[in-house]
Amino acid sequence: MKHLIVLSVVVVGCFATAQLHVERTRYRPINPFRFDSFPSSSRVPTSGDIVKAVASPNVLDDHQIRLMLDAHIVCLTELKGTKQRLMDTNAVIEQFKEEVREDILRLHTQLAAIITNVDLEDVKIQLNANSQLLANTVINLQELEDKLEVTKQHTSDVLTRYQNEMNATVEKLEEKQRETADNVTDAHYGIASLTTELDAVKQQSNDTYNYVEELKTGWTATDFAVADLMRDLNVAREEALASNVRIEELASTLNARTSPSSIGEMPGSCADLRQIGHVKSGLHLVMGEKGVESVYCDFTLEEKDKWIGYTDVKTAPVYFSVQRTSRFNKTNVPIPFDLAKSAIGNAMNLTSGVFTAPKTGTYFFIFNGLAEFDTTSNVIPYLAVGLFLNKSGNRIALALTEEAHTIKDQYRGQRVPLALQTTIQLQEGDQVWLEIFGESGTVSLFDNKNNHSAFTGWLMEEEMSL
């Protein structure tokens, strides 16, 4: 049916093509020799006109007939091409039908094989097993339901017992609350009595304070009187010393006048003094290596000089003692301090932790601290604190502590003391400080309000220049 429709379409197309050819030639010039035979109408000739033209050759001229024949030849050519394409399409369709037929046969074969391989007895056995399993499951569910009922009853009994115990506890608590209210009332009476006694004590304390203030006033007057006496005593002492010096000078003058001997130069020892006539033991001025110096001469003994130098002589004291109040774990920086117990000489900076020597001389430093190991460890953690001079890396003293198998509980880590001390010669302007220069990562310098860390130093001997 489809092929007939295609063929009909092609035939109609051929007639349309023929009419198109005729339409294209309508405005061409007419053969002058057949002018009388050209139709007066300008319409496109139909198949009926063609038949009439064949039957009556005088109706159409030769040119129109030739055009129509050419159109039909073209149409026939297209019909042949269409026929060939239809035959090719039929061949493809037949091949496709054959392939579909083979696929259907193959599917039938596979289905028959599957039906043959199915064992109905096995299916029945499996269904029976499933039925038995289902029956067992129903039985287990019934048993579980019974157990749940028993558990529910037991839980109800337990809840009832707990409810009874709770009611009894509530009654006891109410009784205790009533007793507590009575005790609070008694306590209020007691507090009122204590308040009265406290007021009396306050009054007595005020009286005592007033008496102490009066005593302080009397002590102040006494201190002024003592200060005046001390001042008078010091004046008298200075006058006595001046008198002694004057007496010594007069004695020396007298001895010099009574002993005409001379050594020709300023005396440089007790022997020289003895030679020029000095016989009274005491302090004398002699020429030393750098200038005039004091020397003690005891002329009752052998000729020995006791030079009066500068040992333990200072123009002003220098000392300090500082402490920390919190833990510290920063490395390679000076350790700052929070509290100064003493600081004479204005040499210790609490904020920076650096001591600057105000005088040239010999200084003594001591440090005590407490290291805390913050973790439980099977290795050997350590903490190293050094005393440094003028630049980091120039360590002059070391405090090192290390502890194997440290232990830390929920409150604190294991703590171990560490300390250092040293004596060193410093120039004026030298700087000294403490710093943590080595630690295992879980150690800190522990401290709190008990002030475990203390840094102390003082000037032992000042170097005097003439």
Side-chain angles (χ1 to χ4, degrees):
M1 186 63 179
K2 292 181 180 179
H3 295 168
L4 293 176
I5 294 172
V6 173
L7 184 58
S8 299
V9 172
V10 173
V11 172
V12 172
C14 288
F15 282 109
T17 303
Q19 291 178 1
L20 180 59
H21 278 283
V22 175
E23 184 68 25
R24 289 175 178 175
T25 58
R26 289 179 61 181
Y27 299 101
R28 291 181 181 179
I30 302 177
N31 192 341
F33 300 100
R34 295 300 298 271
F35 182 79
D36 57 343
S37 63
F38 194 80
S40 59
S41 176
S42 62
R43 67 180 179 84
V44 179
T46 62
S47 57
D49 295 332
I50 295 173
V51 175
K52 289 180 181 181
V54 175
S56 301
N58 295 326
V59 176
L60 296 175
D61 59 10
D62 294 336
H63 178 70
Q64 290 179 332
I65 294 172
R66 191 182 304 113
L67 290 175
M68 295 187 70
L69 290 176
D70 291 339
H72 281 285
I73 290 171
V74 173
C75 185
L76 289 175
T77 302
E78 292 182 356
L79 286 174
K80 288 181 180 181
T82 301
K83 181 180 179 181
Q84 183 62 40
R85 289 194 295 273
L86 289 174
M87 291 175 66
D88 295 340
T89 303
N90 285 333
V92 172
I93 291 173
E94 289 298 330
Q95 184 179 356
F96 178 73
K97 289 170 64 178
E98 185 63 27
E99 293 176 356
V100 170
R101 189 179 298 110
E102 291 177 357
D103 291 339
I104 292 174
L105 291 175
R106 186 168 62 255
L107 290 174
H108 277 292
T109 303
Q110 292 178 356
L111 183 60
I114 292 172
I115 293 173
T116 303
N117 292 330
V118 173
D119 192 350
L120 295 177
E121 287 299 325
D122 293 339
V123 173
K124 290 181 180 180
I125 293 172
Q126 186 65 31
L127 288 174
N128 291 333
N130 291 336
S131 299
Q132 185 62 36
L133 179 61
L134 181 61
N136 294 334
T137 303
V138 171
I139 294 173
N140 292 333
L141 288 174
Q142 184 62 40
E143 294 177 355
L144 181 60
E145 184 177 357
D146 295 339
K147 292 180 180 179
L148 286 174
E149 185 64 28
V150 173
T151 303
K152 181 179 179 181
Q153 182 62 36
H154 178 69
T155 303
S156 177
D157 296 340
V158 171
L159 289 175
T160 302
R161 185 173 67 256
Y162 285 167
Q163 184 66 38
N164 295 332
E165 293 177 356
M166 186 178 296
N167 293 334
T169 303
V170 169
E171 292 177 357
K172 292 180 180 179
L173 288 175
E174 291 176 350
E175 180 64 26
K176 191 67 177 179
Q177 183 178 7
R178 287 191 294 272
E179 294 177 359
T180 303
D182 296 338
N183 293 334
V184 168
T185 302
D186 296 339
H188 284 167
Y189 289 127
I191 290 173
S193 177
L194 289 175
T195 302
T196 303
E197 294 178 1
L198 181 60
D199 292 337
V201 171
K202 285 183 178 179
Q203 183 62 40
Q204 186 177 359
S205 297
N206 291 332
D207 297 340
T208 304
Y209 177 79
N210 294 331
Y211 178 71
V212 169
E213 289 296 324
E214 292 177 357
L215 290 178
K216 284 184 178 180
T217 302
W219 289 341
T220 302
T222 303
D223 289 340
F224 287 146
V226 171
D228 293 339
L229 291 175
M230 291 298 296
R231 185 166 52 253
D232 295 340
L233 180 61
N234 289 331
V235 171
R237 184 178 298 170
E238 291 176 356
E239 292 176 352
L241 290 175
S243 300
N244 289 334
V245 171
R246 182 60 178 166
I247 291 172
E248 290 291 337
E249 290 177 352
L250 292 174
S252 297
T253 302
L254 179 61
N255 290 332
R257 290 177 179 178
T258 57
S259 178
S261 61
S262 175
I263 60 176
E265 61 181 5
M266 187 172 180
S269 65
C270 291
D272 291 341
L273 293 174
R274 185 189 296 275
Q275 184 177 350
I276 63 176
H278 286 276
V279 294
K280 186 173 180 62
S281 300
L283 293 175
H284 299 276
L285 297 177
V286 298
M287 179 60 69
E289 295 180 356
K290 298 181 180 180
V292 177
E293 296 179 356
S294 297
V295 63
Y296 177 80
C297 296
D298 187 356
F299 295 107
T300 62
L301 302 177
E302 296 181 2
E303 297 182 1
K304 291 184 179 180
D305 302 336
K306 186 174 182 181
W307 294 88
I308 307 302
Y310 307 105
T311 302
D312 201 29
V313 177
K314 306 178 184 64
T315 58
V318 177
Y319 57 88
F320 70 92
S321 180
V322 294
Q323 296 175 339
R324 285 191 56 81
T325 59
S326 61
R327 67 175 65 242
F328 185 84
N329 59 3
K330 295 181 180 179
T331 58
N332 301 319
V333 295
I335 300 174
F337 291 88
D338 306 311
L339 179 65
K341 289 294 186 180
S342 61
I344 302 301
N346 195 27
M348 183 64 190
N349 189 320
L350 281 176
T351 304
S352 65
V354 176
F355 171 83
T356 303
K359 306 174 187 297
T360 299
T362 303
Y363 290 78
F364 179 81
F365 298 96
I366 184 171
F367 167 73
N368 295 290
L370 190 63
E372 183 177 45
F373 299 93
D374 298 325
T375 60
T376 300
S377 175
N378 293 325
V379 297
I380 303 179
Y382 67 93
L383 177 68
V385 176
L387 185 67
F388 291 82
L389 172 63
N390 287 337
K391 61 180 181 179
S392 183
N394 185 21
R395 190 177 74 246
I396 58 177
L398 167 67
L400 173 67
T401 183
E402 55 185 13
E403 195 73 14
H405 306 295
T406 59
I407 298 175
K408 179 182 179 181
D409 60 16
Q410 59 180 335
Y411 301 107
R412 48 163 282 183
Q414 185 171 333
R415 297 170 186 167
V416 179
L418 72 163
L420 64 80
Q421 61 182 10
T422 187
T423 303
I424 185 173
Q425 180 76 17
L426 297 180
Q427 300 296 319
E428 182 178 355
D430 283 350
Q431 292 185 329
V432 176
W433 66 88
L434 293 166
E435 69 177 53
I436 299 174
F437 69 93
E439 50 94 23
S440 59
T442 59
V443 187
S444 61
L445 187 62
F446 175 78
D447 219 322
N448 54 21
K449 63 181 180 180
N450 295 322
N451 310 126
H452 299 282
S453 301
F455 182 31
T456 303
W458 64 86
L459 173 61
M460 298 177 61
E461 180 178 354
E462 182 180 354
E463 182 177 316
M464 307 289 292
S465 58
L466 297 177

